[in-house]
Amino acid sequence: MGQPYSKSPQGYEIHYATNHLGHFALVGGIVDLLRRDHSRVIIVTGDIAVIEDDASPDYEYSDDGINAYCRSKICNQAFGRLLQQRYSELSVYVVHPGVIDSNLITMPEGSLLRRIEVLLRPYFMINCEVGAQTSLLCALRDDYPRGSYVHNVFGLCNYHATAAHDGWSNEMWKTSEELCSHHKVHLHY
């Protein structure tokens, strides 16, 4: 986030490719093992998704990429929700870990956004250890129903409206399968 427009080596918008398609492919490659072991799957999203209302692999932007990042987070939510629906033997949790002080935000030095980020960082960001707590809670305890969207501050939350829409989510899943297949990624969904 905070970088000029770029594409993955496969030709997809970089946030979509990294935050959604890569995870979709990873889980699709090992889903049989996950099912056999009745595994827990933690999908990390971000409540920042509310800024956008759609997502696609061909989105183009000329800003800092924040909207593209938001769009990829809609996909994370839809993927986690459908993964739980399709595979009842799994325990899937979609988690917003908080706004974590990491190297994810990489605004160009001297830019207005960089100056704002440096100024606000101590007030709005949590460290990585605190940021891991919600994911760990979902991975290790049964505090929330399977298939839940869990926020680090608000607990159990509703999914983003687009991610909660079955028609949109199923189309996103189908598109993701097609994109992976096009690049000879073998999925076991």
Side-chain angles (χ1 to χ4, degrees):
M1 186 168 29
Q3 296 297 311
Y5 179 79
S6 63
K7 291 183 177 182
S8 69
Q10 297 78 19
Y12 308 117
E13 188 280 317
I14 196 68
H15 296 89
Y16 181 91
T18 304
N19 296 334
H20 167 62
L21 205 53
H23 295 91
F24 183 87
L26 173 65
V27 172
I30 62 171
V31 72
D32 291 336
L33 296 171
L34 297 171
R35 293 173 68 198
R36 182 193 71 204
D37 294 341
H38 297 270
S39 298
R40 291 181 188 235
V41 178
I42 309 300
I43 307 288
V44 178
T45 190
D47 62 3
I48 197 167
V50 300
I51 292 173
E52 284 289 324
D53 61 3
D54 196 13
S56 63
D58 57 354
Y59 179 68
E60 294 187 22
Y61 58 89
S62 59
D63 61 6
D64 60 8
I66 188 73
N67 294 78
Y69 178 80
C70 297
R71 293 166 70 94
S72 72
K73 295 298 154 183
I74 296 171
C75 291
N76 293 146
Q77 291 185 33
F79 171 52
R81 191 178 69 79
L82 286 184
L83 188 65
Q84 182 64 72
Q85 284 181 3
R86 293 177 182 209
Y87 300 104
S88 61
E89 60 270 47
L90 297 178
S91 296
V92 180
Y93 299 91
V94 178
V95 173
H96 168 74
V99 182
I100 300 171
D101 187 1
S102 68
N103 65 352
L104 177 64
I105 300 173
T106 53
M107 303 296 174
E109 286 296 325
S111 71
L112 176 61
L113 288 174
R114 174 69 174 164
R115 289 192 303 259
I116 292 170
E117 181 243 332
V118 168
L119 179 68
L120 298 179
R121 180 172 283 229
Y123 302 103
F124 291 102
M125 294 185 161
I126 57 178
N127 67 41
C128 293
E129 183 178 333
V130 173
Q133 298 308 303
T134 308
S135 295
L136 288 170
L137 174 75
C138 291
L140 300 172
R141 296 184 43 179
D142 294 319
D143 291 11
Y144 296 104
R146 294 178 314 130
S148 294
Y149 171 31
V150 183
H151 190 282
N152 72 311
V153 173
F154 303 116
L156 195 59
C157 288
N158 293 326
Y159 282 99
H160 184 286
T162 302
H165 188 274
D166 285 335
W168 187 93
S169 295
N170 284 312
E171 190 61 34
M172 178 275 309
W173 188 288
K174 180 181 169 192
T175 298
S176 301
E177 286 182 321
E178 290 169 356
L179 295 175
C180 288
S181 175
H182 180 72
H183 293 282
K184 297 179 177 43
V185 175
H186 301 288
L187 303 174
H188 300 280
Y189 291 121

